[in-house]
Amino acid sequence: PTSRKNATLILPLVVGSVATRNVPPTSGGTASDAHATHRWTLYVRSPTGRDLSAIVSRVVFTLHPSFPNPVREVRGRPGWGSERAPP
């Protein structure tokens, strides 16, 4: 691949979240996990299912400041672009 300085790439992305209810609430983890009513997954993907690993090397999620470590960085390959949000 050719590297180009000052190039602009316009790429449609789908950014979202999925929540599933924990029944019963998560047990065994940290004290806050024991009270978690839902499991949240955050994601970034291509709307066409295209592999973005050659273009996207990391994703940074900024959660509400009330969450511990509200800025989360995820690096990796396809399937890596999701992050379990804390309870």
Side-chain angles (χ1 to χ4, degrees):
T2 302
S3 176
R4 296 179 191 227
K5 293 182 179 181
N6 300 318
T8 300
L9 174 66
I10 298 173
L11 181 69
L13 298 173
V14 178
V15 178
S17 64
V18 176
T20 55
R21 187 176 170 125
N22 289 332
V23 181
T26 305
S27 62
T30 65
S32 61
D33 284 344
H35 300 289
T37 59
H38 291 77
R39 179 183 179 107
W40 290 84
T41 301
L42 312 175
Y43 61 87
V44 175
R45 62 180 172 84
S46 163
T48 62
R50 177 181 177 183
D51 177 3
L52 299 175
S53 63
I55 302 166
V56 179
S57 63
R58 69 185 176 117
V59 175
V60 178
F61 295 99
T62 302
L63 306 175
H64 189 274
S66 64
F67 286 99
N69 305 316
V71 178
R72 308 289 179 94
E73 183 174 314
V74 181
R75 295 176 181 261
R77 297 188 51 86
W80 55 267
S82 63
E83 167 77 10
R84 180 174 177 249

